[in-house]
C-alpha cells in the first residue's frame, strides 16, 4: 500500500513569531498521528526554526526551491547540500509559481530534480496545466511534457525516490478546487505514463494533489484511488486547518 503524505507549502509567508505559533500548533495537533507522513516546506531563513521545532517529532520539513548547481559563484542561490545541513527531507521543484514568475523551464526543473536527489533530498515535483491549457484540452500533453523532461535527465529510476504533485494552476490560491474526479483523472493519467515501462514503479508513485485544498474538501479528494495526499498552500498557514487536512489523509 502506498504511503500517504501531506506537505504544507508556506510560500513567502511567516515571521519568527508567527511561525512559532504555527509550528507549536502543528506539533500539538499531529503528535501521535499515524498512517500519514506530514511535512512543512518553509522559506529558507526559517529552516533552522523548523528544524529546531520539529527535530524530535515525526513531522518532516523541507524547502520550496533549490539551485540546480552544487556550489560556486551563484549569488543568491541555495544548494541541496545546504538544505541537507538543516535536516531537510523534501524540496519542492517546479512549482508553477517558479515556472511562471521566475522563468523556470522544464529542463531547469529537471536539473533541480536531479540535483536534489544527488544531495539526498526527496524532490516534490510539481506539474499542472494553466486554465488556458485546460480549456484547449491539452492538460495531458502539458503534464506529460513536464514529466518527460524529468525522465530525460533523471531516467525512470529517478522516480523511485520522489513525490509528484499535480497542481492545476487554475486551482492554486483561487479557492477553485479541482473536483475529486478531475484530479483523479490526471493522477491516473500520470500513473499510467509509467505503467508500460515499470508497473511496480507506477503503483508505488506517491502523487499529491495541490490547489485550494481545505479541511472541508480534503477527505473527498484523498478518497480517490490515485490521490495519495496533498500539497497545501494557504491552508497550511493555519495549524488547525492543516492538522484537519493531515487527519483526512490517514489510512
Ligand atoms: O503548493 C501549494 C499549491 O500551490 C496550492 O496552494 P493553495 O493551497 O493555496 O491553493
Amino acid at each position: 500500500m502506498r504511503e500517504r503524505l501531506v506537505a504544507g507549502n508556506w510560500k513567502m509567508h511567516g515571521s519568527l513569531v508567527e511561525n512559532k505559533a504555527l509550528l507549536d500548533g502543528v506539533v500539538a495537533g499531529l503528535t501521535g498521528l499515524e498512517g500519514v507522513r506530514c511535512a512543512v516546506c518553509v522559506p529558507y531563513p526559517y529552516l533552522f526554526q523548523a528544524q529546531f521545532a520539529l527535530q524530535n517529532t515525526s513531522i518532516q520539513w523541507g524547502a520550496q526551491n533549490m539551485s540546480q548547481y552544487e556550489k560556486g559563484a551563484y549569488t543568491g542561490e541555495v544548494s541541496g547540500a545546504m538544505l541537507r545541513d538543516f535536516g531537510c527531507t523534501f524540496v519542492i521543484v517546479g512549482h508553477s509559481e517558479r515556472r511562471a514568475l521566475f522563468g523556470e523551464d522544464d529542463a531547469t526543473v529537471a536539473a533541480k530534480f536531479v540535483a536534489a536527489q544527488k544531495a539526498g533530498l526527496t524532490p516534490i515535483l510539481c506539474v499542472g496545466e494553466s486554465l488556458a491549457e485546460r480549456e484547449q484540452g491539452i492538460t495531458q500533453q502539458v503534464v506529460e511534457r513536464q514529466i518527460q523532461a524529468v525522465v530525460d535527465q533523471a531516467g525512470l529510476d529517478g522516480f523511485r525516490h520522489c513525490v509528484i504533485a499535480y497542481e492545476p494552476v487554475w486551482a492554486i490560491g483561487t479557492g477553485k478546487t479541482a473536483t475529486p474526479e478531475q484530479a483523479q483523472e490526471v493522477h491516473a493519467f500520470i500513473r499510467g505514463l509509467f505503467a508500460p515501462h515499470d508497473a511496480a514503479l507506477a503503483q508505488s508513485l506517491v502523487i499529491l494533489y495541490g490547489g485550494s485544498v481545505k479541511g472541508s474538501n480534503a477527505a473527498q479528494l484523498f478518497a480517490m484511488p490515485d490521490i495519495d495526499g496533498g500539497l497545501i498552500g494557504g491552508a497550511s498557514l493555519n495549524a488547525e486547518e492543516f492538522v484537519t487536512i493531515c487527519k483526512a489523509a490517514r489510512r
Side-chain angles (χ1 to χ4, degrees), residues 48-95:
F48 181 69
Q49 187 183 23
Q51 181 178 31
F52 187 75
L54 303 176
Q55 59 192 345
N56 295 319
T57 75
S58 60
I59 306 162
Q60 296 173 311
W61 60 95
Q64 303 166 13
N65 181 32
M66 61 172 276
S67 175
Q68 64 271 48
Y69 304 114
E70 231 177 278
K71 60 162 81 165
Y74 300 107
T75 302
E77 290 291 278
V78 171
S79 72
M82 292 172 187
L83 299 183
R84 285 297 300 154
D85 257 353
F86 285 87
C88 289
T89 299
F90 295 105
V91 61
I92 298 171
V93 298
H95 190 282

mmCIF file of all heavy atoms in Angstrom, residues 48-95:
data_model
loop_
_atom_site.group_PDB
_atom_site.id
_atom_site.type_symbol
_atom_site.label_atom_id
_atom_site.label_comp_id
_atom_site.label_asym_id
_atom_site.label_seq_id
_atom_site.Cartn_x
_atom_site.Cartn_y
_atom_site.Cartn_z
ATOM 1 N N PHE A 48 16.017 26.682 10.018
ATOM 2 C CA PHE A 48 16.559 26.303 11.323
ATOM 3 C C PHE A 48 15.455 26.298 12.380
ATOM 4 O O PHE A 48 15.411 25.418 13.246
ATOM 5 C CB PHE A 48 17.700 27.252 11.737
ATOM 6 C CG PHE A 48 18.301 26.876 13.057
ATOM 7 C CD1 PHE A 48 19.045 25.708 13.192
ATOM 8 C CD2 PHE A 48 18.099 27.662 14.176
ATOM 9 C CE1 PHE A 48 19.578 25.336 14.422
ATOM 10 C CE2 PHE A 48 18.631 27.296 15.409
ATOM 11 C CZ PHE A 48 19.373 26.136 15.527
ATOM 12 N N GLN A 49 14.560 27.255 12.263
ATOM 13 C CA GLN A 49 13.436 27.313 13.203
ATOM 14 C C GLN A 49 12.564 26.064 13.071
ATOM 15 O O GLN A 49 12.134 25.478 14.069
ATOM 16 C CB GLN A 49 12.598 28.576 12.935
ATOM 17 C CG GLN A 49 11.512 28.794 13.979
ATOM 18 C CD GLN A 49 10.634 30.007 13.659
ATOM 19 O OE1 GLN A 49 10.535 30.436 12.513
ATOM 20 N NE2 GLN A 49 9.991 30.542 14.681
ATOM 21 N N ALA A 50 12.326 25.645 11.825
ATOM 22 C CA ALA A 50 11.529 24.431 11.597
ATOM 23 C C ALA A 50 12.270 23.211 12.140
ATOM 24 O O ALA A 50 11.685 22.348 12.810
ATOM 25 C CB ALA A 50 11.238 24.273 10.105
ATOM 26 N N GLN A 51 13.575 23.153 11.865
ATOM 27 C CA GLN A 51 14.384 22.018 12.341
ATOM 28 C C GLN A 51 14.342 21.932 13.876
ATOM 29 O O GLN A 51 14.130 20.865 14.447
ATOM 30 C CB GLN A 51 15.826 22.193 11.873
ATOM 31 C CG GLN A 51 16.747 21.070 12.298
ATOM 32 C CD GLN A 51 18.167 21.264 11.772
ATOM 33 O OE1 GLN A 51 18.623 22.390 11.609
ATOM 34 N NE2 GLN A 51 18.840 20.164 11.506
ATOM 35 N N PHE A 52 14.513 23.078 14.515
ATOM 36 C CA PHE A 52 14.530 23.143 15.978
ATOM 37 C C PHE A 52 13.186 22.690 16.557
ATOM 38 O O PHE A 52 13.126 21.929 17.508
ATOM 39 C CB PHE A 52 14.854 24.584 16.407
ATOM 40 C CG PHE A 52 15.063 24.733 17.879
ATOM 41 C CD1 PHE A 52 16.239 24.294 18.477
ATOM 42 C CD2 PHE A 52 14.077 25.310 18.672
ATOM 43 C CE1 PHE A 52 16.432 24.425 19.848
ATOM 44 C CE2 PHE A 52 14.267 25.442 20.045
ATOM 45 C CZ PHE A 52 15.444 24.997 20.628
ATOM 46 N N ALA A 53 12.108 23.128 15.917
ATOM 47 C CA ALA A 53 10.769 22.810 16.441
ATOM 48 C C ALA A 53 10.345 21.373 16.140
ATOM 49 O O ALA A 53 9.572 20.786 16.896
ATOM 50 C CB ALA A 53 9.743 23.773 15.839
ATOM 51 N N LEU A 54 10.844 20.825 15.035
ATOM 52 C CA LEU A 54 10.302 19.538 14.563
ATOM 53 C C LEU A 54 11.245 18.359 14.743
ATOM 54 O O LEU A 54 10.847 17.211 14.532
ATOM 55 C CB LEU A 54 9.926 19.648 13.071
ATOM 56 C CG LEU A 54 8.915 20.748 12.723
ATOM 57 C CD1 LEU A 54 8.697 20.814 11.208
ATOM 58 C CD2 LEU A 54 7.577 20.528 13.432
ATOM 59 N N GLN A 55 12.493 18.634 15.160
ATOM 60 C CA GLN A 55 13.507 17.566 15.129
ATOM 61 C C GLN A 55 13.147 16.339 15.965
ATOM 62 O O GLN A 55 13.538 15.239 15.608
ATOM 63 C CB GLN A 55 14.880 18.119 15.501
ATOM 64 C CG GLN A 55 14.933 18.740 16.875
ATOM 65 C CD GLN A 55 16.220 19.527 17.107
ATOM 66 O OE1 GLN A 55 17.181 19.385 16.363
ATOM 67 N NE2 GLN A 55 16.255 20.339 18.152
ATOM 68 N N ASN A 56 12.416 16.532 17.053
ATOM 69 C CA ASN A 56 12.083 15.359 17.868
ATOM 70 C C ASN A 56 10.636 14.908 17.658
ATOM 71 O O ASN A 56 10.047 14.282 18.533
ATOM 72 C CB ASN A 56 12.342 15.648 19.338
ATOM 73 C CG ASN A 56 13.828 15.868 19.580
ATOM 74 O OD1 ASN A 56 14.665 15.157 19.032
ATOM 75 N ND2 ASN A 56 14.159 16.895 20.349
ATOM 76 N N THR A 57 10.097 15.243 16.516
ATOM 77 C CA THR A 57 8.720 14.849 16.195
ATOM 78 C C THR A 57 8.753 13.971 14.945
ATOM 79 O O THR A 57 9.808 13.796 14.328
ATOM 80 C CB THR A 57 7.830 16.081 15.901
ATOM 81 O OG1 THR A 57 8.159 16.575 14.589
ATOM 82 C CG2 THR A 57 8.033 17.186 16.921
ATOM 83 N N SER A 58 7.601 13.482 14.552
ATOM 84 C CA SER A 58 7.557 12.688 13.316
ATOM 85 C C SER A 58 7.319 13.582 12.100
ATOM 86 O O SER A 58 7.268 13.106 10.971
ATOM 87 C CB SER A 58 6.431 11.651 13.417
ATOM 88 O OG SER A 58 5.208 12.341 13.587
ATOM 89 N N ILE A 59 7.173 14.877 12.327
ATOM 90 C CA ILE A 59 6.903 15.801 11.216
ATOM 91 C C ILE A 59 8.222 16.160 10.531
ATOM 92 O O ILE A 59 9.219 16.455 11.203
ATOM 93 C CB ILE A 59 6.207 17.083 11.749
ATOM 94 C CG1 ILE A 59 4.958 16.706 12.542
ATOM 95 C CG2 ILE A 59 5.872 18.032 10.588
ATOM 96 C CD1 ILE A 59 4.452 17.819 13.444
ATOM 97 N N GLN A 60 8.204 16.115 9.207
ATOM 98 C CA GLN A 60 9.429 16.421 8.473
ATOM 99 C C GLN A 60 9.345 17.819 7.886
ATOM 100 O O GLN A 60 8.292 18.442 7.913
ATOM 101 C CB GLN A 60 9.628 15.360 7.391
ATOM 102 C CG GLN A 60 9.854 13.988 8.032
ATOM 103 C CD GLN A 60 9.886 12.863 7.017
ATOM 104 O OE1 GLN A 60 9.011 12.757 6.167
ATOM 105 N NE2 GLN A 60 10.874 12.013 7.123
ATOM 106 N N TRP A 61 10.443 18.315 7.350
ATOM 107 C CA TRP A 61 10.448 19.667 6.809
ATOM 108 C C TRP A 61 11.298 19.731 5.545
ATOM 109 O O TRP A 61 12.065 18.812 5.247
ATOM 110 C CB TRP A 61 10.939 20.690 7.846
ATOM 111 C CG TRP A 61 12.323 20.450 8.340
ATOM 112 C CD1 TRP A 61 13.471 21.021 7.871
ATOM 113 C CD2 TRP A 61 12.711 19.555 9.397
ATOM 114 N NE1 TRP A 61 14.548 20.535 8.563
ATOM 115 C CE2 TRP A 61 14.111 19.647 9.502
ATOM 116 C CE3 TRP A 61 12.023 18.693 10.253
ATOM 117 C CZ2 TRP A 61 14.829 18.895 10.440
ATOM 118 C CZ3 TRP A 61 12.747 17.947 11.183
ATOM 119 C CH2 TRP A 61 14.129 18.051 11.277
ATOM 120 N N GLY A 62 11.118 20.820 4.827
ATOM 121 C CA GLY A 62 11.866 20.961 3.588
ATOM 122 C C GLY A 62 11.799 22.388 3.088
ATOM 123 O O GLY A 62 11.260 23.274 3.758
ATOM 124 N N ALA A 63 12.347 22.584 1.880
ATOM 125 C CA ALA A 63 12.391 23.914 1.278
ATOM 126 C C ALA A 63 11.470 23.946 0.051
ATOM 127 O O ALA A 63 10.897 22.929 -0.349
ATOM 128 C CB ALA A 63 13.825 24.247 0.892
ATOM 129 N N GLN A 64 11.355 25.123 -0.518
ATOM 130 C CA GLN A 64 10.402 25.317 -1.620
ATOM 131 C C GLN A 64 11.083 25.438 -2.977
ATOM 132 O O GLN A 64 10.422 25.597 -4.003
ATOM 133 C CB GLN A 64 9.596 26.596 -1.366
ATOM 134 C CG GLN A 64 8.867 26.576 -0.041
ATOM 135 C CD GLN A 64 8.363 27.945 0.360
ATOM 136 O OE1 GLN A 64 8.343 28.880 -0.441
ATOM 137 N NE2 GLN A 64 7.948 28.092 1.609
ATOM 138 N N ASN A 65 12.414 25.402 -2.955
ATOM 139 C CA ASN A 65 13.185 25.594 -4.184
ATOM 140 C C ASN A 65 14.635 25.306 -3.836
ATOM 141 O O ASN A 65 14.998 25.260 -2.650
ATOM 142 C CB ASN A 65 13.042 27.053 -4.648
ATOM 143 C CG ASN A 65 13.790 27.337 -5.937
ATOM 144 O OD1 ASN A 65 13.927 26.476 -6.809
ATOM 145 N ND2 ASN A 65 14.299 28.559 -6.062
ATOM 146 N N MET A 66 15.467 25.094 -4.826
ATOM 147 C CA MET A 66 16.908 24.984 -4.604
ATOM 148 C C MET A 66 17.615 25.225 -5.928
ATOM 149 O O MET A 66 16.985 25.267 -6.991
ATOM 150 C CB MET A 66 17.290 23.605 -4.051
ATOM 151 C CG MET A 66 16.941 22.457 -4.973
ATOM 152 S SD MET A 66 17.605 20.884 -4.410
ATOM 153 C CE MET A 66 19.272 20.980 -5.102
ATOM 154 N N SER A 67 18.921 25.370 -5.847
ATOM 155 C CA SER A 67 19.707 25.556 -7.064
ATOM 156 C C SER A 67 19.926 24.220 -7.764
ATOM 157 O O SER A 67 20.009 23.176 -7.125
ATOM 158 C CB SER A 67 21.069 26.150 -6.703
ATOM 159 O OG SER A 67 21.880 26.218 -7.858
ATOM 160 N N GLN A 68 20.063 24.301 -9.071
ATOM 161 C CA GLN A 68 20.443 23.094 -9.821
ATOM 162 C C GLN A 68 21.948 22.859 -9.730
ATOM 163 O O GLN A 68 22.433 21.822 -10.161
ATOM 164 C CB GLN A 68 19.995 23.175 -11.288
ATOM 165 C CG GLN A 68 20.621 24.270 -12.142
ATOM 166 C CD GLN A 68 19.832 25.581 -12.092
ATOM 167 O OE1 GLN A 68 19.468 26.052 -11.023
ATOM 168 N NE2 GLN A 68 19.590 26.154 -13.257
ATOM 169 N N TYR A 69 22.685 23.846 -9.211
ATOM 170 C CA TYR A 69 24.135 23.735 -9.129
ATOM 171 C C TYR A 69 24.567 23.263 -7.748
ATOM 172 O O TYR A 69 23.901 23.523 -6.755
ATOM 173 C CB TYR A 69 24.784 25.092 -9.440
ATOM 174 C CG TYR A 69 24.359 25.643 -10.783
ATOM 175 C CD1 TYR A 69 23.590 26.804 -10.871
ATOM 176 C CD2 TYR A 69 24.688 24.977 -11.961
ATOM 177 C CE1 TYR A 69 23.177 27.305 -12.100
ATOM 178 C CE2 TYR A 69 24.277 25.459 -13.193
ATOM 179 C CZ TYR A 69 23.518 26.623 -13.255
ATOM 180 O OH TYR A 69 23.108 27.092 -14.464
ATOM 181 N N GLU A 70 25.724 22.600 -7.728
ATOM 182 C CA GLU A 70 26.190 22.024 -6.469
ATOM 183 C C GLU A 70 26.803 23.070 -5.551
ATOM 184 O O GLU A 70 26.560 23.086 -4.352
ATOM 185 C CB GLU A 70 27.240 20.966 -6.803
ATOM 186 C CG GLU A 70 26.964 19.647 -6.134
ATOM 187 C CD GLU A 70 27.979 18.626 -6.546
ATOM 188 O OE1 GLU A 70 27.785 18.042 -7.638
ATOM 189 O OE2 GLU A 70 28.970 18.431 -5.808
ATOM 190 N N LYS A 71 27.624 23.927 -6.120
ATOM 191 C CA LYS A 71 28.266 25.011 -5.362
ATOM 192 C C LYS A 71 28.917 25.957 -6.350
ATOM 193 O O LYS A 71 29.038 25.650 -7.540
ATOM 194 C CB LYS A 71 29.322 24.472 -4.395
ATOM 195 C CG LYS A 71 30.450 23.706 -5.050
ATOM 196 C CD LYS A 71 31.634 23.576 -4.153
ATOM 197 C CE LYS A 71 31.465 22.439 -3.148
ATOM 198 N NZ LYS A 71 32.705 22.062 -2.491
ATOM 199 N N GLY A 72 29.354 27.111 -5.873
ATOM 200 C CA GLY A 72 30.085 28.017 -6.762
ATOM 201 C C GLY A 72 29.559 29.437 -6.738
ATOM 202 O O GLY A 72 28.833 29.832 -5.823
ATOM 203 N N ALA A 73 29.963 30.181 -7.744
ATOM 204 C CA ALA A 73 29.629 31.610 -7.806
ATOM 205 C C ALA A 73 28.214 31.785 -8.376
ATOM 206 O O ALA A 73 28.032 32.109 -9.545
ATOM 207 C CB ALA A 73 30.661 32.329 -8.668
ATOM 208 N N TYR A 74 27.255 31.533 -7.528
ATOM 209 C CA TYR A 74 25.843 31.650 -7.934
ATOM 210 C C TYR A 74 25.135 32.492 -6.875
ATOM 211 O O TYR A 74 24.391 31.965 -6.022
ATOM 212 C CB TYR A 74 25.192 30.265 -8.055
ATOM 213 C CG TYR A 74 25.866 29.378 -9.071
ATOM 214 C CD1 TYR A 74 26.647 28.302 -8.677
ATOM 215 C CD2 TYR A 74 25.739 29.643 -10.432
ATOM 216 C CE1 TYR A 74 27.289 27.504 -9.601
ATOM 217 C CE2 TYR A 74 26.377 28.856 -11.376
ATOM 218 C CZ TYR A 74 27.150 27.784 -10.951
ATOM 219 O OH TYR A 74 27.782 26.997 -11.869
ATOM 220 N N THR A 75 25.402 33.761 -6.911
ATOM 221 C CA THR A 75 24.899 34.676 -5.881
ATOM 222 C C THR A 75 23.398 34.524 -5.660
ATOM 223 O O THR A 75 22.621 34.532 -6.611
ATOM 224 C CB THR A 75 25.221 36.132 -6.289
ATOM 225 O OG1 THR A 75 26.630 36.240 -6.454
ATOM 226 C CG2 THR A 75 24.748 37.120 -5.228
ATOM 227 N N GLY A 76 23.052 34.352 -4.397
ATOM 228 C CA GLY A 76 21.630 34.290 -4.043
ATOM 229 C C GLY A 76 21.040 32.898 -4.099
ATOM 230 O O GLY A 76 19.887 32.705 -3.729
ATOM 231 N N GLU A 77 21.816 31.924 -4.568
ATOM 232 C CA GLU A 77 21.278 30.566 -4.697
ATOM 233 C C GLU A 77 21.548 29.731 -3.433
ATOM 234 O O GLU A 77 22.452 30.040 -2.645
ATOM 235 C CB GLU A 77 21.903 29.871 -5.908
ATOM 236 C CG GLU A 77 21.440 30.442 -7.236
ATOM 237 C CD GLU A 77 19.979 30.132 -7.507
ATOM 238 O OE1 GLU A 77 19.667 29.038 -7.964
ATOM 239 O OE2 GLU A 77 19.135 31.011 -7.252
ATOM 240 N N VAL A 78 20.786 28.673 -3.287
ATOM 241 C CA VAL A 78 20.916 27.776 -2.135
ATOM 242 C C VAL A 78 21.030 26.345 -2.672
ATOM 243 O O VAL A 78 20.207 25.921 -3.494
ATOM 244 C CB VAL A 78 19.686 27.922 -1.208
ATOM 245 C CG1 VAL A 78 19.678 26.853 -0.134
ATOM 246 C CG2 VAL A 78 19.656 29.313 -0.574
ATOM 247 N N SER A 79 22.046 25.633 -2.226
ATOM 248 C CA SER A 79 22.279 24.293 -2.776
ATOM 249 C C SER A 79 21.532 23.212 -1.991
ATOM 250 O O SER A 79 21.135 23.420 -0.833
ATOM 251 C CB SER A 79 23.776 23.963 -2.749
ATOM 252 O OG SER A 79 24.181 23.732 -1.408
ATOM 253 N N GLY A 80 21.432 22.067 -2.610
ATOM 254 C CA GLY A 80 20.815 20.924 -1.951
ATOM 255 C C GLY A 80 21.569 20.521 -0.697
ATOM 256 O O GLY A 80 20.966 20.176 0.320
ATOM 257 N N ALA A 81 22.904 20.574 -0.752
ATOM 258 C CA ALA A 81 23.707 20.193 0.424
ATOM 259 C C ALA A 81 23.412 21.130 1.599
ATOM 260 O O ALA A 81 23.389 20.708 2.760
ATOM 261 C CB ALA A 81 25.197 20.226 0.067
ATOM 262 N N MET A 82 23.181 22.401 1.280
ATOM 263 C CA MET A 82 22.853 23.356 2.357
ATOM 264 C C MET A 82 21.513 22.982 2.997
ATOM 265 O O MET A 82 21.353 23.058 4.216
ATOM 266 C CB MET A 82 22.781 24.783 1.788
ATOM 267 C CG MET A 82 24.122 25.313 1.339
ATOM 268 S SD MET A 82 23.908 26.890 0.480
ATOM 269 C CE MET A 82 25.581 27.137 -0.113
ATOM 270 N N LEU A 83 20.584 22.550 2.176
ATOM 271 C CA LEU A 83 19.275 22.143 2.716
ATOM 272 C C LEU A 83 19.432 20.898 3.587
ATOM 273 O O LEU A 83 18.797 20.780 4.639
ATOM 274 C CB LEU A 83 18.275 21.886 1.582
ATOM 275 C CG LEU A 83 17.973 23.083 0.675
ATOM 276 C CD1 LEU A 83 16.920 22.709 -0.368
ATOM 277 C CD2 LEU A 83 17.509 24.282 1.489
ATOM 278 N N ARG A 84 20.308 20.005 3.180
ATOM 279 C CA ARG A 84 20.559 18.801 3.996
ATOM 280 C C ARG A 84 21.184 19.193 5.341
ATOM 281 O O ARG A 84 20.900 18.586 6.368
ATOM 282 C CB ARG A 84 21.484 17.818 3.260
ATOM 283 C CG ARG A 84 20.837 17.046 2.145
ATOM 284 C CD ARG A 84 19.710 16.126 2.610
ATOM 285 N NE ARG A 84 20.164 15.127 3.576
ATOM 286 C CZ ARG A 84 19.403 14.554 4.493
ATOM 287 N NH1 ARG A 84 18.125 14.883 4.583
ATOM 288 N NH2 ARG A 84 19.895 13.661 5.317
ATOM 289 N N ASP A 85 22.029 20.221 5.303
ATOM 290 C CA ASP A 85 22.645 20.713 6.543
ATOM 291 C C ASP A 85 21.601 21.102 7.579
ATOM 292 O O ASP A 85 21.871 21.072 8.777
ATOM 293 C CB ASP A 85 23.478 21.970 6.232
ATOM 294 C CG ASP A 85 24.960 21.679 6.193
ATOM 295 O OD1 ASP A 85 25.345 20.550 6.530
ATOM 296 O OD2 ASP A 85 25.725 22.588 5.828
ATOM 297 N N PHE A 86 20.448 21.529 7.094
ATOM 298 C CA PHE A 86 19.373 21.934 8.007
ATOM 299 C C PHE A 86 18.323 20.835 8.158
ATOM 300 O O PHE A 86 17.197 21.103 8.560
ATOM 301 C CB PHE A 86 18.743 23.255 7.535
ATOM 302 C CG PHE A 86 19.633 24.433 7.812
ATOM 303 C CD1 PHE A 86 20.600 24.819 6.903
ATOM 304 C CD2 PHE A 86 19.546 25.109 9.022
ATOM 305 C CE1 PHE A 86 21.448 25.883 7.171
ATOM 306 C CE2 PHE A 86 20.393 26.171 9.309
ATOM 307 C CZ PHE A 86 21.351 26.560 8.377
ATOM 308 N N GLY A 87 18.728 19.626 7.816
ATOM 309 C CA GLY A 87 17.885 18.458 8.095
ATOM 310 C C GLY A 87 16.686 18.299 7.184
ATOM 311 O O GLY A 87 15.771 17.528 7.498
ATOM 312 N N CYS A 88 16.689 19.002 6.050
ATOM 313 C CA CYS A 88 15.529 18.890 5.150
ATOM 314 C C CYS A 88 15.395 17.469 4.606
ATOM 315 O O CYS A 88 16.395 16.841 4.239
ATOM 316 C CB CYS A 88 15.685 19.812 3.941
ATOM 317 S SG CYS A 88 15.516 21.544 4.348
ATOM 318 N N THR A 89 14.174 17.005 4.516
ATOM 319 C CA THR A 89 13.873 15.754 3.820
ATOM 320 C C THR A 89 13.440 16.071 2.394
ATOM 321 O O THR A 89 13.831 15.389 1.445
ATOM 322 C CB THR A 89 12.727 15.006 4.540
ATOM 323 O OG1 THR A 89 13.150 14.712 5.866
ATOM 324 C CG2 THR A 89 12.362 13.714 3.816
ATOM 325 N N PHE A 90 12.619 17.115 2.259
ATOM 326 C CA PHE A 90 11.989 17.416 0.966
ATOM 327 C C PHE A 90 12.456 18.740 0.387
ATOM 328 O O PHE A 90 12.879 19.639 1.123
ATOM 329 C CB PHE A 90 10.461 17.514 1.147
ATOM 330 C CG PHE A 90 9.814 16.224 1.564
ATOM 331 C CD1 PHE A 90 9.380 16.043 2.879
ATOM 332 C CD2 PHE A 90 9.646 15.194 0.664
ATOM 333 C CE1 PHE A 90 8.770 14.861 3.272
ATOM 334 C CE2 PHE A 90 9.042 14.002 1.052
ATOM 335 C CZ PHE A 90 8.605 13.836 2.353
ATOM 336 N N VAL A 91 12.315 18.855 -0.920
ATOM 337 C CA VAL A 91 12.395 20.162 -1.571
ATOM 338 C C VAL A 91 11.384 20.158 -2.725
ATOM 339 O O VAL A 91 11.292 19.181 -3.473
ATOM 340 C CB VAL A 91 13.826 20.493 -2.061
ATOM 341 C CG1 VAL A 91 14.336 19.488 -3.095
ATOM 342 C CG2 VAL A 91 13.881 21.902 -2.638
ATOM 343 N N ILE A 92 10.622 21.219 -2.802
ATOM 344 C CA ILE A 92 9.671 21.360 -3.911
ATOM 345 C C ILE A 92 10.459 21.809 -5.137
ATOM 346 O O ILE A 92 11.270 22.728 -5.047
ATOM 347 C CB ILE A 92 8.586 22.409 -3.556
ATOM 348 C CG1 ILE A 92 7.776 21.962 -2.334
ATOM 349 C CG2 ILE A 92 7.668 22.655 -4.751
ATOM 350 C CD1 ILE A 92 6.828 23.028 -1.783
ATOM 351 N N VAL A 93 10.238 21.174 -6.267
ATOM 352 C CA VAL A 93 10.854 21.665 -7.515
ATOM 353 C C VAL A 93 9.771 21.847 -8.571
ATOM 354 O O VAL A 93 8.836 21.060 -8.675
ATOM 355 C CB VAL A 93 11.996 20.744 -8.058
ATOM 356 C CG1 VAL A 93 13.148 20.657 -7.072
ATOM 357 C CG2 VAL A 93 11.495 19.367 -8.420
ATOM 358 N N GLY A 94 9.913 22.932 -9.330
ATOM 359 C CA GLY A 94 8.997 23.169 -10.448
ATOM 360 C C GLY A 94 7.613 23.620 -10.043
ATOM 361 O O GLY A 94 6.647 23.434 -10.802
ATOM 362 N N HIS A 95 7.493 24.238 -8.860
ATOM 363 C CA HIS A 95 6.186 24.786 -8.509
ATOM 364 C C HIS A 95 5.765 25.764 -9.617
ATOM 365 O O HIS A 95 6.598 26.469 -10.181
ATOM 366 C CB HIS A 95 6.246 25.501 -7.156
ATOM 367 C CG HIS A 95 4.889 25.872 -6.657
ATOM 368 N ND1 HIS A 95 4.199 26.951 -7.129
ATOM 369 C CD2 HIS A 95 4.067 25.260 -5.764
ATOM 370 C CE1 HIS A 95 3.010 27.007 -6.540
ATOM 371 N NE2 HIS A 95 2.912 25.978 -5.700
#
